[in-house]
Amino acid sequence: MLMRYAMLVGLAAVSVWGAVNLGTTNAAMILVDAGQGGQPANLSLWVLGMIAAFITLSLFRFVIFGLPSMFDDWYRDNKSWLYVTVGGALIYGAIYLM
């Protein structure tokens, strides 16, 4: 599952990078017959931008709906160790301040 979202982040970064670089450095390559027919010069820019937007929305959906349940499972599994760590930190703090 982590690899899936890592791939989505990578695809979003490449889409944004491609959209920025395509509009600035390779604009002449996109032109077809100097505007006579063919696709508009910035169509690929819009397509890459929409791909990046959909990937970003997918990641936000994961953060909003996925992380709370994952954190709940992790907390349930590690509750005793968290209490031991917090208790040890409080004892250490009390000893340190004496």
Side-chain angles (χ1 to χ4, degrees):
M1 180 156 78
L2 180 63
M3 193 64 175
R4 173 183 170 202
Y5 291 105
M7 274 184 15
L8 286 175
V9 168
L11 191 58
V14 167
S15 297
V16 170
W17 178 80
V20 170
N21 282 338
L22 190 65
T24 59
T25 59
N26 301 334
M29 187 176 70
I30 300 173
L31 294 175
V32 177
D33 294 330
Q36 300 172 4
Q39 61 185 359
N42 60 358
L43 179 64
S44 57
L45 177 75
W46 283 101
V47 169
L48 289 174
M50 292 304 293
I51 290 171
F54 285 132
I55 290 171
T56 303
L57 289 175
S58 173
L59 289 172
F60 281 139
R61 183 186 175 280
F62 165 71
V63 168
I64 289 172
F65 295 113
L67 285 182
S69 63
M70 287 173 55
F71 183 74
D72 184 42
D73 293 339
W74 177 84
Y75 174 74
R76 193 175 313 123
D77 293 339
N78 298 313
K79 189 184 336 182
S80 61
W81 287 108
L82 289 171
Y83 289 148
V84 167
T85 304
V86 169
L90 289 174
I91 291 169
Y92 176 76
I95 292 172
Y96 180 77
L97 291 175
M98 284 184 172

